[in-house]
Amino acid sequence: MNQPTLFLSPRYSPDSRLMRDAAIAKNWLVERMGTWAIPETEPDGPIVLYGETLFCRYLADHFDITLVDPGDDFLQLLPMELRKRKIHCTTAEGARLFDVPVFIKPVNDKTFGAAVFASGKDLPATIIDSEIVLISEPVVFTSEFRFFVHEGKARTG
């Protein structure tokens, strides 16, 4: 079997660099896209995509890859001991009903910046009512750790 090729979006981020380093350590080929232009040649081996949702959807359509996404309510359904706060999956229309400070973020497409809003009414009017969002009470983190988990084991972080 030919070695996998990891395609990374043009957007550099700490996690994309970690993914690149992990792929190189496994002797994978790594293609950091300079633009969203479709690659001229298709790799011989498995194709792995990493980047923002729209980028991955774009390349997945081209390569005829089925993306696997957790459900919109994935975070809401995690046990409370893992999330340490109430999280609700709702629509932008539902989020606008909150009249207290609330953290709101889009579920998938980063159509607006995740932020703490003084109330749900402050969600930009450009966000359509039917957009799925996650809401939670505002929290303050002293540190944050992100891990990539495969088959129940942390692979990199």
Side-chain angles (χ1 to χ4, degrees):
M1 181 163 124
N2 293 327
Q3 62 198 125
T5 299
L6 172 64
F7 284 91
L8 297 167
S9 83
R11 188 176 63 89
Y12 282 81
S13 63
D15 48 325
S16 75
R17 289 182 178 105
L18 287 170
M19 292 297 288
R20 178 203 60 209
D21 293 347
I24 290 170
K26 292 285 190 183
N27 292 318
W28 289 16
L29 300 172
V30 177
E31 180 76 32
R32 168 75 70 178
M33 306 290 288
T35 67
W36 281 31
I38 298 296
E40 291 183 21
T41 59
E42 189 165 324
D44 293 331
I47 295 169
V48 179
L49 307 176
Y50 186 79
E52 55 275 12
T53 304
L54 293 175
F55 169 80
C56 289
R57 285 184 189 156
Y58 175 71
L59 284 184
D61 285 346
H62 172 74
F63 289 127
D64 196 28
I65 295 171
T66 300
L67 297 177
V68 179
D69 284 322
D72 291 343
D73 59 355
F74 170 75
L75 287 175
Q76 175 182 319
L77 296 176
L78 285 174
M80 181 61 86
E81 63 266 16
L82 295 178
R83 54 188 160 97
K84 306 284 190 209
R85 63 191 174 282
K86 293 178 184 174
I87 299 174
H88 300 283
C89 183
T90 187
T91 61
E93 180 180 32
R96 289 186 174 101
L97 298 175
F98 282 77
D99 60 0
V100 295
V102 63
F103 175 78
I104 308 174
K105 70 173 280 185
V107 169
N108 286 320
D109 292 331
K110 299 192 188 260
T111 52
F112 64 92
V116 174
F117 294 89
S119 81
K121 295 176 189 85
D122 293 335
L123 191 61
T126 55
I127 306 307
I128 61 172
D129 283 346
S130 60
E131 174 150 2
I132 305 297
V133 299
L134 294 174
I135 60 171
S136 72
E137 59 197 283
V139 295
V140 176
F141 292 96
T142 55
S143 59
E144 178 180 4
F145 301 91
R146 294 184 181 206
F147 290 87
F148 294 93
V149 178
H150 181 251
E151 297 180 349
K153 294 183 181 177
R155 303 297 180 174
T156 187

